[in-house]
Amino acid sequence: MAEVESFDNLLASRKLLETSLENSRALALALDKTGPRLVEIDRKLAFLEAAIRPSSSKNCTFAAIRDHVSLALGPAVAVLKIFNSIRELEKSLFSGPFSDLSSYLSTIRQLEGALKFLTGNCNLAIQWLEGVMEFLEDNSVANGKYIVNLRRSLTILQELQATGEHACLSGAFDKLEISFKQILADNSVPLALACLTAKQACDAATPFPVPILQKLQAIVERLNASNRLEKCMSIFVEVRSLNTRKSLQALDLAYLEKAITDFDDVQDMERCIEEWSKHMEFIVKHVLEHEHRLCKEVFGSTASGVWMDCYAKIAAQSGILSFLQFGMSIAESKNCPIKLLNLLRIFSVLENLRMDFNKLFGGETCVEIKTMTSDLVTKVVNGASEIFWELPVQVELERQSYPPKDGGIPRLVSFVTGYCNQLLDDKYRPVLTQVLKICHGWKHEKYEEGLVTNQIYSIVREIAVNLDAWSKAYDQRPLSYIFMLNNHSHFHSLKGTELGNLMGDSWLSAHGQYKEYYSALYLRESWGKLLTCLSQDNPVSSDLPKRLKAFNEAVDDMYNKQSNWVIFDESLRQKMHQLVVQALVPAYRSYLQKHSLLVEHSDTTSRTVKYTAKSLENMLNTLFQPWQIKYRSTIDSHFTGKQRNTETNQFRLTLTAV
């Protein structure tokens, strides 16, 4: 509406100016005719000089008016000609959508030049017309209607001078902004998930084809030159922010909304952290790197703060803050050993992306992202260091708990040895060392090499003390021997692992010797004692049934007591079967063979022979079977599901209690 009203005013101004020009030409013609006649009268009628003087004064007045009108005619005619040219340029600009951006920008430049020329001529025409109007009013040589029309023409010219350039160019710039948005939207395609695996292809890809980029740059330069860049920036942020969100829609990001208590188990959390690490690399190295490069290329010709402002807004709306908040929720959760591993994973991801973060968020415009990242790194480093230094103390606090009733390996032992193996492997140890160095640096303390290994030694030492204390808690001495046999076998089996390599061959050999020692003690204190029932030579027939009955009862009692005892290591279990069978069955077979005549000819004696040598052997081979092995199968460095949750929660109780 404003543009239509401006055009109507310009048309009215042109009509008034044309009328004024016709009147001025007529007035000038009359003056030309009147002047010579007055001169002739003056020459011929000299004696009437005094009477003619007023007419002479009028002649001078008419001549002055003619001069003013002549001087005003030039600028006025120029205004009309320029106005006609502007009308033609406007028709070209506003006739419909343009297909040639270069021609459209050229037309805008022509229109801009014409408007500036129009403004300058308007100013000159206004000055001369003001002089004419002032002269006419002072000398009262024109009627009131003529002066009113002249004043109206001046008003229109003054309005044109003040608003004409802005009004005409505003519509052209609006079309440029619409074109900018259309070009940007047509070429904004979400990044493919292939970037998660095809890193080289995504890194090498340019944001936009060169011709498209040149069009966007040309529009930005044109709008920036006319101080119309703000809306263009808003359009860019809107379109590209939407594109970044679409790039992430194909990812399963539901885990970002999970609270710590919502994770099903430890394995579920680890799986989410693994996904988080992949997605963090995708959004930083590909999505935001893409936007950073595009912002710089499109707005690079403007002031440096412009493209950084655009990028900062896009980054803030991309979802990167949600990824950082996920890491923060892990860092702020309750302390537990698994949390240390999770924090090391998070730190490793952040460290790998450190250079990218410095590049993408190092400016003053990304303050929120930069601050949150710094806070996350601080919490991760301090949290990991705190848990690591507390580990030996927490193992010691578990000393007051009870050992397994079946003489098996305590969950804490299997968990901690596997846990130490993880801390020592190539995935975690370098990261842990770096974290500890950073933490020492923040405290202005010197980091000494060997701190990690010394801490592992301390953990293992506390486990050994716990085992001694737990073995004394058993009421049955043979069960305590089975307990120590299981645990020394477990430590001996660590050969070839990270923990076993750290502790050394002598440590491993010692546990192998202890394993043999406790197996011998077990035999002597349990099945070996049953041989006394078979040791008397040449018993009378009446004593044989009693001896066999006593032997049977002793075997049954021993077996019932040990039926729930376990040995987890299969090879060790088979070896113990052999030792027990060798200690008992040959002696029993020999005893039966030695007294076979008495057994065959005595019904009472034959009824008391409950076991044959073979059936006794078969029964003994069923000892130490881990019937609940499906719940306790994990004795290495990998723990899964609820079993691992149980072990972690058991350890967490003491970590969170201090």
Side-chain angles (χ1 to χ4, degrees):
M1 291 296 294
E3 293 179 7
V4 174
E5 184 177 354
S6 175
F7 294 155
D8 292 341
N9 289 337
L10 290 173
L11 290 172
S13 175
R14 182 175 68 173
K15 186 175 181 180
L16 287 174
L17 286 172
E18 289 173 345
T19 303
S20 298
L21 287 172
E22 292 298 327
N23 292 336
S24 298
R25 289 191 183 98
L27 181 59
L29 182 60
L31 290 172
D32 289 340
K33 293 180 179 180
T34 303
R37 292 175 62 190
L38 290 175
V39 172
E40 183 66 22
I41 293 172
D42 180 69
R43 187 176 63 251
K44 293 181 179 181
L45 301 173
F47 65 93
L48 295 177
E49 181 179 359
I52 297 302
R53 282 177 182 173
S55 298
S56 178
S57 175
K58 289 183 179 180
N59 180 45
C60 293
T61 301
F62 291 147
I65 292 173
R66 182 184 62 188
D67 293 339
H68 276 81
V69 171
S70 297
L71 290 171
L73 284 175
V77 171
V79 167
L80 290 174
K81 290 182 178 180
I82 297 169
F83 178 76
N84 289 330
S85 298
I86 289 173
R87 290 285 291 171
E88 293 300 321
L89 291 172
E90 287 175 339
K91 288 180 182 179
S92 174
L93 289 175
F94 303 122
S95 60
F98 60 86
S99 57
D100 188 350
L101 176 63
S102 178
S103 298
Y104 190 82
L105 291 174
S106 177
T107 304
I108 289 179
R109 284 193 294 270
Q110 294 176 27
L111 177 60
E112 191 174 35
L115 289 170
K116 289 181 180 179
F117 193 60
L118 175 65
T119 302
N121 279 274
C122 278
N123 184 46
L124 188 59
I126 287 170
Q127 292 177 8
W128 287 111
L129 287 178
E130 285 177 342
V132 171
M133 189 176 68
E134 183 180 353
F135 192 88
L136 292 175
E137 288 177 341
D138 291 345
N139 293 276
S140 302
V141 294
N143 60 37
K145 184 178 179 181
Y146 179 83
I147 292 177
V148 169
N149 289 338
L150 186 60
R151 182 177 289 112
R152 185 181 178 190
S153 297
L154 277 172
T155 301
I156 293 175
L157 286 174
Q158 288 168 347
E159 291 177 353
L160 178 63
Q161 182 188 32
T163 63
E165 181 178 350
H166 172 76
C168 293
L169 287 175
S170 178
F173 291 152
D174 288 344
K175 288 191 69 174
L176 275 182
E177 289 167 349
I178 293 172
S179 177
F180 182 84
K181 184 174 184 179
Q182 188 64 48
I183 295 172
L184 193 63
D186 290 345
N187 292 275
S188 292
V189 181
L191 291 182
L193 285 177
C195 288
L196 287 171
T197 54
K199 296 181 180 179
Q200 294 181 350
C202 290
D203 289 341
T206 54
F208 284 158
V210 173
I212 298 300
L213 193 59
Q214 289 174 342
K215 287 183 179 181
L216 295 175
Q217 291 169 340
I219 294 175
V220 166
E221 290 174 2
R222 177 64 269 177
L223 294 175
N224 184 49
S226 300
N227 296 320
R228 282 283 300 254
L229 199 57
E230 185 174 349
K231 187 174 180 180
C232 184
M233 293 169 60
S234 299
I235 291 172
F236 187 86
V237 171
E238 175 189 350
V239 173
R240 295 307 300 177
S241 295
L242 178 61
N243 193 69
T244 59
R245 291 193 292 272
K246 287 182 178 179
S247 296
L248 299 179
Q249 283 179 355
L251 307 177
D252 182 8
L253 302 179
Y255 66 87
L256 293 178
E257 305 298 327
K258 278 188 174 183
I260 294 298
T261 54
D262 293 337
F263 289 102
D264 296 334
D265 48 38
V266 172
Q267 190 179 22
D268 182 33
M269 181 181 291
E270 291 177 351
R271 183 170 54 252
C272 290
I273 293 176
E274 183 65 25
E275 288 296 299
W276 176 84
S277 65
K278 295 177 182 178
H279 295 162
M280 271 289 285
E281 182 175 352
F282 174 65
I283 189 174
V284 173
K285 284 186 173 292
H286 302 296
V287 177
L288 292 180
E289 169 64 28
H290 192 87
E291 298 305 323
H292 187 271
R293 187 163 66 249
L294 185 59
C295 285
K296 190 172 184 179
E297 290 180 347
V298 173
F299 294 97
S301 62
T302 63
S304 60
V306 172
W307 74 267
M308 281 301 298
D309 285 342
C310 286
Y311 169 72
K313 293 175 182 177
I314 294 171
Q317 298 177 38
S318 67
I320 183 67
L321 292 174
S322 298
F323 284 89
L324 294 175
Q325 184 56 52
F326 175 83
M328 193 70 75
S329 65
I330 300 295
E332 292 175 348
S333 62
K334 292 181 179 180
N335 284 349
C336 72
I338 296 301
K339 178 183 174 181
L340 171 57
L341 300 179
N342 292 337
L343 292 180
L344 293 180
R345 293 188 188 102
I346 291 174
F347 180 84
S348 179
V349 172
L350 296 176
E351 177 63 17
N352 290 336
L353 296 174
R354 181 166 56 88
M355 298 300 293
D356 300 278
F357 268 76
N358 291 339
K359 173 186 175 181
L360 300 178
F361 313 119
E364 297 179 357
T365 54
C366 297
V367 175
E368 185 178 7
I369 297 175
K370 184 165 57 176
T371 301
M372 193 169 185
T373 303
S374 177
D375 291 344
L376 175 58
V377 172
T378 300
K379 289 182 179 294
V380 167
V381 170
N382 288 335
S385 180
E386 178 184 354
I387 295 174
F388 180 70
W389 294 121
E390 285 291 328
L391 289 175
V393 177
Q394 307 315 319
V395 173
E396 179 184 358
L397 291 175
E398 289 296 315
R399 199 166 298 159
Q400 304 303 317
S401 61
Y402 293 98
K405 294 180 179 180
D406 57 8
I409 302 169
R411 291 173 176 173
L412 180 66
V413 173
S414 58
F415 175 81
V416 171
T417 53
Y419 184 78
C420 289
N421 270 324
Q422 287 183 286
L423 290 180
L424 291 170
D425 68 20
D426 293 337
K427 179 179 180 180
Y428 291 106
R429 185 169 183 171
V431 182
L432 176 59
T433 301
Q434 186 177 3
V435 165
L436 296 177
K437 286 182 178 179
I438 293 173
C439 193
H440 274 67
W442 288 349
K443 296 178 181 179
H444 304 287
E445 298 175 354
K446 182 181 179 181
Y447 177 83
E448 297 181 0
E449 297 297 333
L451 284 179
V452 173
T453 56
N454 289 338
Q455 189 74 344
I456 298 297
Y457 288 143
S458 298
I459 294 171
V460 174
R461 185 164 51 248
E462 294 301 330
I463 292 178
V465 176
N466 284 7
L467 290 176
D468 288 337
W470 288 333
S471 68
K472 297 174 182 177
Y474 289 106
D475 295 332
Q476 302 179 64
R477 194 177 301 174
L479 180 57
S480 71
Y481 296 152
I482 289 293
F483 172 76
M484 296 300 285
L485 175 66
N486 271 314
N487 285 278
H488 284 294
S489 174
H490 173 68
F491 286 126
H492 185 255
S493 68
L494 294 175
K495 184 176 182 179
T497 66
E498 298 293 340
L499 181 58
N501 294 337
L502 175 67
M503 301 306 296
D505 291 338
S506 60
W507 183 83
L508 293 169
S509 298
H511 284 291
Q513 294 171 4
Y514 276 117
K515 180 175 67 172
E516 300 297 331
Y517 172 73
Y518 283 107
S519 64
L521 286 180
Y522 164 75
L523 286 174
R524 188 182 67 189
E525 294 294 329
S526 58
W527 299 102
K529 291 183 176 181
L530 270 62
L531 296 177
T532 57
C533 298
L534 307 175
S535 61
Q536 185 174 356
D537 294 330
N538 301 319
V540 296
S541 60
S542 59
D543 292 336
L544 185 57
K546 294 180 180 179
R547 288 183 174 277
L548 288 174
K549 182 179 180 182
F551 177 79
N552 292 338
E553 291 176 350
V555 168
D556 291 343
D557 181 63
M558 187 74 69
Y559 182 84
N560 290 333
K561 286 181 179 180
Q562 299 188 15
S563 60
N564 292 323
W565 299 2
V566 298
I567 295 177
F568 284 105
D569 184 78
E570 184 177 359
S571 61
L572 177 62
R573 185 168 61 250
Q574 292 176 353
K575 181 179 179 180
M576 292 304 298
H577 285 162
Q578 293 175 0
L579 292 176
V580 172
V581 168
Q582 290 174 3
L584 193 61
V585 173
Y588 180 64
R589 181 184 293 109
S590 175
Y591 186 83
L592 291 180
Q593 291 175 350
K594 185 176 181 179
H595 303 289
S596 59
L597 292 177
L598 293 176
V599 173
E600 292 174 359
H601 294 87
S602 173
D603 293 338
T604 302
T605 302
S606 68
R607 287 196 300 270
T608 58
V609 179
K610 183 176 181 180
Y611 300 104
T612 64
K614 185 61 177 177
S615 65
L616 179 61
E617 179 180 352
N618 291 338
M619 184 184 73
L620 294 176
N621 281 331
T622 63
L623 288 171
F624 314 125
Q625 294 291 339
W627 301 110
Q628 305 300 322
I629 194 170
K630 62 181 178 179
Y631 300 112
R632 307 180 60 184
S633 60
T634 308
I635 59 174
D636 57 8
S637 62
H638 301 286
F639 299 85
T640 58
K642 295 182 178 179
Q643 169 67 15
R644 192 173 183 189
N645 274 344
T646 304
E647 294 163 348
T648 304
N649 291 336
Q650 178 185 359
F651 204 10
R652 177 188 291 145
L653 295 176
T654 55
L655 277 168
T656 56
V658 295

